[in-house]
Amino acid sequence: MHYVYKSSGNPEAMTLLLLHGTGGNEHDLIPLATYFGSDINILSLRGNTNENGMPRFFKRLAMGVFDEEDLEFRTHEMVTFIKELAEKEKFDATKIIALGYSNGANIAGATLFLHPNFLAGAILFRPMLPFHHQEIQFNFNKTPIFLSSGNQDTMVSSGEIENYVEALNFAGFDVTNFTINTGHNLSQLDLDLAVEWFQIKNLVN
């Protein structure tokens, strides 16, 4: 996978894993990382699939309809890649916090389903329920999860988000969920709420 890695210089640091939306790349979300402090590593990936020239992390069958078989494959592929990269770049694979927007949030969510104890936390901006035909596995770490949705987002129904949050809670995750007055686009309020959550959960060493 194409990636950008920026070390904090601290071997004990958390790593912020940045996962872009459809049509983005590994550079898009890097400016957001500065809001979370200087004592973190930054790892930003580019999706490994392509839809009409737009990078994505997995295929979809139609707008809002995921190719769940490909999503499962790509999620395992990404986790394996990150574990190998942790050895190469010398960061701690047990201290990774995902920050994903839209398509990136969805592969981060799929990671919670399939590798529930891999991430140390996750920030999901405009997520959708990643799987309808796959049971979520149990999380034993009470891993903190942040979700933010827009009440004017035509791509995601409020009912689906409620089901998603319920599934995460049932699986043992520590979920914080916000619905804000906006559409699918990322807003400053999303970022402010995520930074506040990040500090409250004490996710910086």
Side-chain angles (χ1 to χ4, degrees):
M1 300 181 77
H2 291 273
Y3 73 94
V4 171
Y5 178 70
K6 297 184 178 183
S7 173
S8 67
N10 176 8
E12 301 298 321
M14 305 294 287
T15 296
L16 194 62
L17 170 64
L18 303 175
L19 303 168
H20 64 78
T22 299
N25 60 43
E26 66 273 28
H27 302 287
D28 280 12
L29 298 181
I30 289 177
L32 302 188
T34 59
Y35 287 86
F36 295 89
S38 58
D39 193 24
I40 54 172
N41 307 316
I42 300 169
L43 172 61
S44 189
L45 304 183
R46 186 196 302 178
N48 242 5
T49 67
N50 189 292
E51 182 182 274
N52 300 319
M54 299 184 297
R56 280 178 55 86
F57 286 98
F58 58 91
K59 297 175 184 177
R60 56 184 172 185
L61 304 176
M63 188 68 71
V65 182
F66 300 162
D67 182 333
E68 295 191 15
E69 183 177 346
D70 187 64
L71 174 55
E72 182 174 354
F73 172 79
R74 295 298 177 183
T75 301
H76 293 314
E77 177 185 58
M78 183 182 76
V79 170
T80 299
F81 176 78
I82 292 170
K83 288 178 178 178
E84 293 173 352
L85 193 61
E87 295 185 12
K88 175 184 175 182
E89 298 287 1
K90 309 302 182 188
F91 61 86
D92 190 339
T94 70
K95 295 183 176 181
I96 298 171
I97 301 163
L99 184 156
Y101 166 64
S102 192
N103 182 241
N106 294 331
I107 196 166
T111 303
L112 301 178
F113 267 67
L114 301 174
H115 300 269
N117 301 293
F118 175 65
L119 295 172
I123 298 168
L124 310 179
F125 294 128
R126 305 297 179 274
M128 296 175 67
L129 185 66
F131 294 108
H132 290 88
H133 307 289
Q134 176 89 41
E135 286 191 14
I136 188 169
Q137 298 183 40
F138 196 78
N139 171 259
F140 295 99
N141 303 323
K142 292 290 290 181
T143 300
I145 308 297
F146 172 98
L147 288 85
S148 66
S149 305
N151 61 8
Q152 301 173 43
D153 189 346
T154 58
M155 295 181 64
V156 191
S157 71
S158 59
E160 180 175 342
I161 294 299
E162 289 172 5
N163 291 340
Y164 194 180
V165 171
E166 182 179 353
L168 289 171
N169 279 320
F170 184 75
F173 291 93
D174 173 17
V175 183
T176 301
N177 179 38
F178 290 97
T179 302
I180 63 178
N181 187 30
T182 188
H184 195 70
N185 290 339
L186 195 59
S187 73
Q188 184 64 45
L189 180 56
D190 289 295
L191 191 54
D192 292 343
L193 290 169
V195 169
E196 182 180 14
W197 168 88
F198 190 81
Q199 294 169 344
I200 289 172
K201 295 301 179 181
N202 196 28
L203 292 174
V204 179
N205 281 336

